[in-house]
Amino acid sequence: MATAAAHRTAGAPAYGAPHADPDGDARQRAFDAAVAADERVEPRDWMPDAYRATLVRQIAQHAHSEIIGMQPEANWITRAPSLRRKAILMAKVQDEAGHGLYLYSAAETLGVSRDELLDKLHSGRQKYSSIFNYPTLTWADVGAIGWLVDGAAITNQVPLCRCSYGPYARAMVRVCKEESFHQRQGYELLLALSRGTPEQHAMAQDAVDRWWWPSLMMFGPPDDASQHSAQSMAWKIKRHSNDELRQRFVDICVPQAESLGLTLPDPDLKWNEEHGRHDFGAIDWTEFWDVLKGNGPCNEQRLTQRRRAHDEGAWVREAAAAHAAKHAAKHTGKHTGPTGVEQA
Ligand code: BYC
């Protein structure tokens, strides 16, 4: 944060520690001024507790979505129809793991640990995106996820590159570049199917029919039911409302669907000349809230698989910690045993 750096705390209290701060009002004013001036808030800067909590909530949910999002597509790695498709899909799923890593690291700068966040995911105390509670029934779903789900993600995440919190904004730059590749591979996959045999075309259409509406739900509830939007926009964490981004996504998708030779499953979708945008049909918000409550087709399966992967990966974490301890000991002259525990 360059000019309004008055709120930066030299020798700041430990992250997350209460700010016993006689100059609290001055810091709050300096924080507000910095945000108003479009400056970045950095980890060591003073920030309101509620700002910190909102960021942890959103970044954690975002990170969880990335790693849970690996599951529906990984489901098709062994059944990809060619070596080329398999290599692309494996790279994409690995990218999602990387996105989770950047995002958990960004959250850690706010004073929470990755273990704590994963624990909240596994116990259902933190959410992940509703979209990943739907099944991938055919190979075409890999294309529909790339085109629609990654397309929605880019629409939502490009503005997050200008988020007021520096580490989150910077993580988003790389994530968006990779999402852009993901979106294009999905589009290209669907195009190949759409131009293929009648059966392949039908499979592509069926996938788009099933993923269209859940993709629109990814942007969150309508603005009048979005409890966090107003405050998050005032803090410049979010730059646009849920409905604005949803509308932008619909307007982008309509011409792309035409080029793909596929139909978006909405009879009310039509160009509105007066407003210069597409009108679209009503979203089933009952379904959305139901999925958030844990009642989507795959909620249970996703969390069970995530917990299992975490348990089965325990030895990898232990081995990595032991290796790190051994490496550190080499530099400090201390000795560790095979478990990485320091030996007398
Ligand atoms: N799913 O006040 P609102 C990806 C919750 S990863 C579940 O509007 P906010 C990808 C919301 O959390 C995609 N929950 O909230 C990965 C809140 O509940 P809590 C993930 C949702 O935060 C792998 C309540 O509803 N992207 O694309 O202002 C492979 C009220 O909502 C959803 C991100 O996370 C939802 N769809 O706005 C391929 C982007 N929507 O927390 C692709 C970053 C809302 O009070 N996140 N809720 O219990 C955001 O931009 C915002 O958090 C949202 C919601 C727009 C999602």
Side-chain angles (χ1 to χ4, degrees):
M1 198 178 290
T3 55
H7 74 130
R8 188 166 266 162
T9 320
Y15 298 138
H19 302 281
D21 174 15
D23 300 326
D25 288 350
R27 286 184 176 166
Q28 177 72 54
R29 280 197 300 277
F31 171 86
D32 292 343
V35 170
D38 264 340
E39 291 173 15
R40 287 272 159 82
V41 179
E42 297 297 342
R44 286 181 180 280
D45 294 339
W46 182 89
M47 62 187 84
D49 289 343
Y51 175 83
R52 187 186 297 272
T54 293
L55 281 167
V56 170
R57 179 186 65 77
Q58 177 166 327
I59 300 173
Q61 174 169 322
H62 196 164
H64 299 331
S65 305
E66 297 287 354
I67 61 166
I68 295 272
M70 295 167 71
Q71 292 184 33
E73 291 181 282
N75 180 34
W76 282 92
I77 290 176
T78 55
R79 290 172 287 167
S82 68
L83 184 60
R84 175 174 169 264
R85 293 287 181 200
K86 192 193 290 272
I88 293 172
L89 185 55
M90 282 172 68
K92 180 182 190 297
V93 172
Q94 285 174 356
D95 283 351
E96 310 301 357
H99 298 174
L101 190 67
Y102 316 150
L103 286 160
Y104 285 120
S105 301
E108 281 178 317
T109 66
L110 291 156
V112 287
S113 74
R114 198 181 310 184
D115 281 349
E116 194 182 329
L117 297 179
L118 285 173
D119 192 48
K120 285 188 173 156
L121 168 66
H122 297 155
S123 59
R125 283 176 291 151
Q126 276 177 348
K127 296 187 172 78
Y128 57 89
S129 181
S130 51
I131 192 74
F132 300 117
N133 292 307
Y134 293 86
T136 41
L137 301 179
T138 72
W139 169 250
D141 288 23
V142 172
I145 289 182
W147 177 44
L148 294 173
V149 175
D150 290 283
I154 296 170
T155 310
N156 167 269
Q157 285 165 203
V158 165
L160 291 175
C161 298
R162 292 189 298 119
C163 166
S164 57
Y165 188 58
Y168 191 28
R170 288 189 288 275
M172 280 301 106
V173 173
R174 179 160 172 182
V175 168
C176 285
K177 285 184 181 160
E178 292 175 352
E179 294 293 10
S180 173
F181 155 70
H182 298 169
Q183 194 267 355
R184 279 157 190 254
Q185 69 81 35
Y187 183 90
E188 194 264 342
L189 194 165
L190 278 184
L191 189 64
L193 288 176
S194 180
R195 290 180 177 170
T197 63
E199 289 80 6
Q200 287 172 323
H201 181 90
M203 188 164 74
Q205 183 61 57
D206 169 63
V208 169
D209 289 348
R210 284 181 289 105
W211 288 92
W212 174 247
W213 292 106
S215 299
L216 296 189
M217 295 175 196
M218 283 176 72
F219 295 90
D223 290 351
D224 56 12
S226 168
Q227 71 207 70
H228 303 295
S229 276
Q231 181 60 74
S232 287
M233 285 170 71
W235 277 329
K236 297 188 181 169
I237 294 173
K238 285 168 83 162
R239 294 282 179 158
H240 306 281
S241 78
N242 298 354
D243 285 335
E244 278 167 9
L245 292 175
R246 192 173 2 255
Q247 180 68 53
R248 190 177 290 181
F249 177 66
V250 171
D251 291 335
I252 291 169
C253 286
V254 170
Q256 291 184 354
E258 277 167 25
S259 308
L260 281 169
L262 298 171
T263 310
L264 295 172
D266 179 358
D268 297 325
L269 188 62
K270 59 175 182 306
W271 178 249
N272 182 323
E273 192 64 48
E274 189 192 339
H275 294 112
R277 56 169 165 72
H278 292 89
D279 291 335
F280 55 94
I283 294 173
D284 183 350
W285 291 113
T286 310
E287 175 180 319
F288 172 77
W289 294 116
D290 215 32
V291 170
L292 257 61
K293 275 189 221 133
N295 303 324
C298 297
N299 294 60
E300 206 181 316
Q301 181 186 333
R302 299 290 183 241
L303 269 183
T304 303
Q305 169 60 18
R306 172 93 271 287
R307 289 189 202 107
R308 188 166 63 218
H310 189 73
D311 292 346
E312 288 176 356
W315 72 270
V316 180
R317 292 189 295 280
E318 280 162 23
H323 178 76
K326 209 158 137 188
H327 191 74
K330 247 191 217 163
H331 295 282
T332 59
K334 287 183 181 166
H335 298 287
T336 55
T339 58
V341 175
E342 207 175 304
Q343 306 289 296

